[in-house]
Amino acid sequence: MDGDDVAELTVAGAPASVLSEEPVGQREARAAVAIAGGLYFVGALLCATTALLPHVSSPVGVIAVALDALLIAGVLLFAADRGWGGLGLACVAELWGIALIAVLCASSGGPDSPFALIYFFALGHAAAFQPRARFIGICVAALAAFLAPLAYEPHVSSMFAAVACVGIVLALLASAVVHTALNRLREQRRRMEILIAATAKLDRSLDPAQTLRTIAHMAVPDLAELCVIDLVDDSGSVSETVAAAVDPVVAAGVERMRKVFPLDMRSGHPVAQVLAGSVPRVISELAEDGALEQAAQSDEHEQFMRDVGYTRAAVFPMVARGRTHGAISFLQLHGNTRHDGDLLAVLEDLAGRAAMAFDNARLYAERAQVARTLRRSLMPASLPAIPGLALASYFRPSGLGSELGGDFYDVFGGPENWWLVVGDVCGKGAEAAALTGFLRHTTAAYARLGSSPGSVLSQVNRAMLGQDFDGRFATAILACMRPRGSQVQLTIALAGHPSALVIRADSHRAGELGGSGALLGVFPEPAFEEVSTVLEPGDALMLYTDGLPEAHAPTRVITPQNMIEQLETTAPTSAEAAIDALLALIGPGDSLRDDIAIVSAQVSGVSLQRPKPKSV
């Protein structure tokens, strides 16, 4: 394929084919080659009619033309079937065909040859596929060949003049209609491709600022030389302006003008008028009828628009879900592009898609902000400082983090005992978040009464059953740490949750610690087994949710034995290092199926108990 074909195959970075897998430009090239081959074949058949003509000056020349035409017809049809050559091959075939027709006419009567009309039938059907420059060149070559008999015939008959006039009229009609129709279809196809490519680009980001930049740039340069987006706030004033232009300096100048000279919403500026009535406005000549003066917010602004060369503008409101977010302006600068009906339809469609894309990004950003705020309320802002105990925590949401999960953790208590809780609520969303907050605060309330972990989980279970949580359940692990000098008495109870991990400093061994227990919110009187141990200085405790072992599920499940081996191999010396060792099993860039919450506590060896007051 030649350069013109390649240019036709891609528009705005997207495949040119919309309705089929084969690029439309290549289909056109195949059609041009096939038509040229068909014309060669028809021309070869027409050569057989020369036997009926009264004056054939060179039968050998006619036979040679016929054989050549048959041979080239076969080559061209074969090339069209294989998709070879493109418009470049069709152009060469058409020029060579003109030369052959000139030989045929000279061999069959010269100016009186009836085959002269073949020039213009061929021209009107095959050459019409070519770009404008090639099309004009083929027209000139065909006209020169048609008038060639004037060079070797001193006198031509009136018949030749009549045939010439008829041929020229047929050529102009056929070529103008076919070429214009094809160019119109190409332009419509190109604009449709721009819309499709723009839609694909709009779906790539859910960040409002990035979406605005994408919207502005996707219209330049195919639909406009300058695209300006003005957003409005709740008060109706322009709050932000984003511009894109063929010349980046122009875009930066537009944004600067909006900041220095804010848009007066009561002025005659097209954007102000569109935002006031939510009706598009098209200005065909900005330089006339005082349009620039009405749009200018200052003398400097008016001079800027004149220097840049504002010529034409089409302004559309950005309306999505019944809300006007702003206006998008498509401007031509010193350009010849007219805002015809087809182009305006494309621009209006693009404005609607842009408004919906921005609204989606805005809603997603608001939702993500709400999720982050609510998630922070479900976790402690910071871990408490406990003498003799080093604490560390980790939380990583699944996916993009915009949807609330049910994982939570907390550390509270003191000074007689400290509590660590890690839990996981069934499901995601606001309902799961409500249950998460309920469990976190209810567990803390019952634990502060001084009960054991098992009894606390029983009380939490009864409280959960007394509320309407739509059949949701939860898992939890609750650890009570009571200081005993430099040691810690640890008691753990589980409610359907993964067991804790304990790392021993003296032996560098790790193991599981935990009993049995039913899920919370399912059974009215479940039993929660308690397991106790003593943590020596340097020992560490780790509590985690099932998002960690199931990070790669179902392809690979990280078993407790995998975690134990990892901890024993790395031999972490701090609470943070122990968490890092476990996270090394999943990798920082892996996408997660579920949230991950981890809490780690390490005994430092300093007495955790406050000194008792001396008696007087």
Side-chain angles (χ1 to χ4, degrees):
M1 234 180 295
D2 59 52
D4 295 288
D5 298 327
V6 175
E8 291 179 359
L9 290 180
T10 54
V11 178
S17 177
V18 178
L19 300 178
S20 67
E21 297 180 356
E22 183 183 26
V24 178
Q26 186 176 358
R27 291 190 3 242
E28 285 187 3
R30 285 187 174 186
V33 173
I35 290 176
L39 290 173
Y40 268 93
F41 183 74
V42 172
L45 295 179
L46 288 176
C47 289
T49 63
T50 55
L52 304 176
L53 297 178
H55 303 290
V56 178
S57 57
S58 178
V60 175
V62 174
I63 295 174
V65 169
L67 293 177
D68 187 279
L70 282 175
L71 177 61
I72 296 178
V75 172
L76 291 177
L77 293 175
F78 181 78
D81 182 66
R82 295 298 181 91
W84 295 346
L87 293 180
L89 176 60
C91 182
V92 172
E94 288 152 9
L95 291 174
W96 180 247
I98 291 173
L100 288 181
I101 296 173
V103 174
L104 177 62
C105 291
S107 303
S108 57
D112 298 325
S113 175
F115 295 120
L117 288 178
I118 299 179
Y119 291 124
F120 299 102
F121 283 115
L123 174 68
H125 291 80
F129 285 96
Q130 298 294 337
R132 181 169 300 176
R134 289 183 184 175
F135 176 72
I136 294 175
I138 293 172
C139 289
V140 172
L143 183 61
F146 186 84
L147 299 177
L150 296 176
Y152 56 82
E153 291 286 346
H155 303 287
V156 295
S157 64
S158 58
M159 178 61 71
F160 176 80
V163 170
C165 291
V166 172
I168 291 173
V169 170
L170 288 176
L172 290 176
L173 287 175
S175 60
V177 170
V178 177
H179 190 70
T180 302
L182 281 175
N183 282 340
R184 185 177 180 83
L185 288 174
R186 287 169 177 167
E187 182 65 18
Q188 291 176 345
R189 185 189 70 216
R190 184 180 69 88
R191 291 171 179 174
M192 182 61 69
E193 290 162 359
I194 293 172
L195 282 179
I196 294 174
T199 303
K201 290 181 180 180
L202 290 175
D203 292 338
R204 293 177 184 174
S205 174
L206 288 173
D207 176 67
Q210 181 61 38
T211 300
L212 281 180
R213 291 288 174 187
T214 301
I215 293 170
H217 282 279
M218 69 188 180
V220 177
D222 297 290
L223 300 177
E225 294 176 90
L226 172 63
C227 180
V228 183
I229 300 175
D230 294 287
L231 292 182
V232 294
D233 54 23
D234 294 337
S235 66
S237 301
V238 173
S239 59
E240 183 178 359
T241 298
V242 174
V246 176
D247 184 357
V249 176
V250 173
V254 172
E255 295 181 3
R256 183 180 66 83
M257 285 294 163
R258 282 288 195 271
K259 292 179 181 178
V260 177
F261 307 105
L263 183 63
D264 184 1
M265 302 306 293
R266 297 169 298 178
S267 67
H269 195 287
V271 172
Q273 295 179 347
V274 167
L275 290 176
S278 295
V279 177
R281 186 179 178 194
V282 180
I283 305 175
S284 57
E285 293 295 339
L286 284 168
E288 300 178 0
D289 301 329
L292 287 181
E293 290 82 351
Q294 293 180 4
Q297 304 299 294
S298 67
D299 293 340
E300 183 181 349
H301 186 206
E302 180 181 348
Q303 188 60 43
F304 171 80
M305 290 189 291
R306 293 188 184 278
D307 293 340
V308 170
Y310 281 31
T311 304
R312 282 170 289 279
V315 186
F316 296 88
M318 293 178 59
V319 181
R321 298 182 176 95
R323 176 178 176 180
T324 301
H325 296 286
I328 180 169
S329 306
F330 305 95
L331 298 103
Q332 298 297 330
L333 311 178
H334 304 296
N336 297 321
T337 302
R338 297 286 178 178
H339 289 133
D340 56 24
D342 291 338
L343 179 57
L344 289 176
V346 172
L347 295 179
E348 185 175 13
D349 191 332
L350 185 58
R353 295 172 189 243
M356 187 60 68
F358 174 75
D359 195 49
N360 290 338
R362 179 188 63 84
L363 292 175
Y364 179 84
E366 291 180 355
R367 175 185 175 188
Q369 179 61 31
V370 170
R372 287 191 294 268
T373 302
L374 185 53
R375 184 179 293 115
R376 285 194 294 268
S377 70
L378 301 177
M379 306 285 182
S382 61
L383 296 177
I386 303 176
L389 198 65
L391 295 173
S393 64
Y394 175 84
F395 178 79
R396 180 175 166 188
S398 61
L400 297 175
S402 62
E403 188 168 9
L404 289 168
D407 289 19
F408 69 96
Y409 65 88
D410 203 356
V411 179
F412 51 87
E416 298 299 330
N417 50 29
W418 290 91
W419 298 83
L420 280 68
V421 60
V422 171
D424 186 2
V425 171
C426 167
K428 292 182 179 294
E431 294 81 3
L435 178 54
T436 299
F438 174 85
L439 289 178
R440 179 190 172 199
H441 297 297
T442 304
T443 302
Y446 285 123
R448 286 190 171 94
L449 298 177
S451 305
S452 65
S455 62
V456 170
L457 291 179
S458 296
Q459 291 172 305
V460 170
N461 182 72
R462 284 193 294 272
M464 185 175 171
L465 290 174
Q467 302 291 324
D468 182 15
F469 288 110
D470 196 23
R472 292 180 181 270
F473 58 87
T475 69
I477 180 170
L478 182 61
C480 180
M481 306 183 75
R482 294 182 174 88
R484 297 289 184 267
S486 61
Q487 298 176 327
V488 173
Q489 178 70 34
L490 173 65
T491 304
I492 289 179
L494 277 67
H497 201 84
S499 299
L501 296 175
V502 176
I503 309 171
R504 300 295 183 179
D506 56 352
S507 61
H508 301 291
R509 304 291 292 177
E512 289 188 275
L513 182 67
S516 61
L519 296 170
L520 295 174
V522 178
F523 304 102
E525 294 295 334
F528 299 104
E529 180 184 354
E530 294 182 350
V531 179
S532 300
T533 189
V534 175
L535 298 180
E536 301 289 345
D539 292 351
L541 170 70
M542 302 193 71
L543 312 180
Y544 60 91
T545 59
D546 58 6
L548 176 63
E550 296 177 0
H552 297 291
T555 305
R556 180 172 67 91
V557 176
I558 302 174
T559 65
Q561 186 60 36
N562 296 142
M563 301 183 201
I564 292 172
E565 292 174 357
Q566 176 75 0
L567 293 172
E568 291 179 346
T569 301
T570 57
T573 58
S574 66
E576 292 84 356
I579 292 178
D580 292 339
L582 292 184
L583 294 179
L585 294 172
I586 62 173
D590 293 349
S591 59
L592 302 179
R593 298 176 66 253
D594 198 1
D595 300 344
I596 294 178
I598 306 175
V599 175
S600 177
Q602 184 182 43
V603 180
S604 63
V606 180
S607 176
L608 282 78
Q609 290 179 307
R610 293 181 180 180
K612 295 181 179 180
K614 297 180 180 180
S615 59
V616 179

